[in-house]
Amino acid sequence: MCFNTVIVNLKGQNDYRELIRSLYSEFSNNKDGIFLYNSYTGNVIREIGTDKEYRWIIDNFDFTTNANSLIHMHLRLATRGKVSKDNVHGWSYTWNNETFLCSHNGSYNEYKYSTSTKHKGSKKLYEGEKDSITINSLYYGSYPYYYYSNYLGDNSDSKEFFDKLFNILNEGEEIGNIIKDFYGVAFCTSKDKILAISYEKSIKLAYLGNSLILSNEALYTNVRYNVDGYKFRIESPEILDKIILIDIKKKEVEELYNLTYSGVWFK
């Protein structure tokens, strides 16, 4: 499974290096690419490398933020597309005269892409969950070694989705034609906005001190649900089957689409 997260600084100055180190350690099996974006400094990293190189990148990246800025990180475990710098998430798109950097955990148009027959049709395996399939072969992470010889082209399915999404957003067309083939959690971040997409997998929300964390996985770091001083030691709240736009400066959340399917998707 890829790990996909956005950390929003709600108040004051914060340096998220230790939090990012902790998150990387938790999901360090994802070694097919790292994407980092700091909206406060404008710094962007998209690289492939070794565990040692990824830790060096985190140690040397500037995670300093102020209020109403964010850190966006994606750690890739390839299920589509070559393990190459081109396929590291963090692709750039323009919408409403703003530049967004996009990452995705999940799949898109999965039957179009060549995969191992043991993985076809199994969205659960993409997420690292248990499946009825038993595989007795060498592994790279949690995937069979032969799976990595079956890549199609230089672009992953995630990039195909974002290419189509931003064309639709810029043309003002309906979203349903591409969402029906989408699965997972996607984040697109600009300097002060987050376009967050959930379909058939929920976005997890958590609060840590003065920070809001959105991710595709529940976090097992020192994170607690904390609002206005109330601390609840419960599972994180979730967003499911929606496309939302968060303006972190205005502290506004707009629901662009409800993706609960009943013949049509509702805007």
Side-chain angles (χ1 to χ4, degrees):
M1 62 179 178
C2 296
F3 178 63
N4 199 10
T5 189
V6 177
I7 304 166
V8 181
N9 183 351
L10 302 175
K11 188 190 305 183
Q13 279 205 336
N14 286 289
D15 187 326
Y16 290 110
R17 189 178 316 281
E18 290 306 317
L19 176 58
I20 294 296
R21 282 174 175 162
S22 177
L23 294 176
Y24 177 77
S25 293
E26 188 171 333
F27 297 99
S28 61
N29 61 306
N30 300 353
K31 300 187 187 306
D32 294 329
I34 186 170
F35 159 62
L36 288 168
Y37 168 52
N38 183 338
S39 71
Y40 179 57
T41 64
N43 290 349
V44 178
I45 289 286
R46 295 177 65 232
E47 292 291 346
I48 56 172
T50 64
D51 177 68
K52 182 178 179 180
E53 289 167 333
Y54 294 148
R55 291 180 186 275
W56 185 92
I57 287 170
I58 290 170
D59 285 344
N60 289 275
F61 191 81
D62 187 353
F63 290 104
T64 303
T65 60
N66 69 352
N68 303 321
S69 58
L70 59 85
I71 299 291
H72 185 172
M73 179 174 74
H74 183 274
L75 302 174
R76 185 181 184 223
L77 180 60
T79 53
R80 300 288 191 278
K82 296 177 180 178
V83 178
S84 69
K85 190 170 179 178
D86 287 341
N87 282 336
V88 176
H89 291 228
W91 302 287
S92 176
Y93 297 90
T94 301
W95 177 43
N96 288 340
N97 297 315
E98 289 188 74
T99 298
F100 287 81
L101 300 176
C102 297
S103 63
H104 171 216
N105 161 252
S107 62
Y108 176 69
N109 217 357
E110 60 184 310
Y111 295 106
K112 174 180 176 180
Y113 287 82
S114 175
T115 69
S116 163
T117 55
K118 291 182 182 294
H119 288 75
K120 269 191 177 179
S122 180
K123 290 179 179 178
K124 287 184 178 180
L125 274 180
Y126 302 148
E127 299 305 311
E129 298 173 8
K130 292 182 179 179
D131 197 288
S132 59
I133 300 169
T134 301
I135 304 168
N136 295 313
S137 57
L138 295 176
Y139 276 68
Y140 177 87
S142 60
Y143 294 92
Y145 71 94
Y146 56 78
Y147 184 56
Y148 286 81
S149 66
N150 291 327
Y151 293 129
L152 177 68
D154 291 326
N155 292 317
S156 72
D157 59 329
S158 297
K159 187 175 186 303
E160 180 187 356
F161 169 74
F162 290 125
D163 288 348
K164 292 180 178 180
L165 173 67
F166 279 85
N167 183 66
I168 287 171
L169 291 174
N170 285 312
E171 296 297 325
E173 299 175 0
E174 288 299 317
I175 207 83
N177 286 336
I178 64 167
I179 288 297
K180 62 184 176 62
D181 293 322
F182 175 87
Y183 166 71
V185 169
F187 297 125
C188 297
T189 56
S190 69
K191 190 171 179 60
D192 54 20
K193 291 185 177 64
I194 305 166
L195 181 68
I197 304 168
S198 158
Y199 190 55
E200 295 188 348
K201 182 173 177 64
S202 65
I203 298 169
K204 311 300 191 295
L205 299 179
Y207 287 85
L208 176 62
N210 293 324
S211 306
L212 168 65
I213 303 175
L214 300 86
S215 65
N216 64 297
E217 294 296 330
L219 303 180
Y220 301 101
T221 54
N222 185 24
V223 175
R224 295 290 182 267
Y225 186 59
N226 182 353
V227 182
D228 293 332
Y230 293 94
K231 297 181 180 180
F232 303 97
R233 294 177 180 270
I234 59 174
E235 292 182 3
S236 301
E238 299 179 77
I239 297 169
L240 180 63
D241 293 343
K242 296 181 186 296
I243 300 179
I244 62 174
L245 183 65
I246 303 172
D247 187 318
I248 63 176
K249 286 189 175 179
K250 295 180 180 179
K251 294 182 171 55
E252 294 177 349
V253 179
E254 180 183 0
E255 184 176 299
L256 300 182
Y257 291 92
N258 182 332
L259 303 178
T260 304
Y261 186 69
S262 59
V264 295
W265 278 271
F266 295 99
K267 187 171 183 178

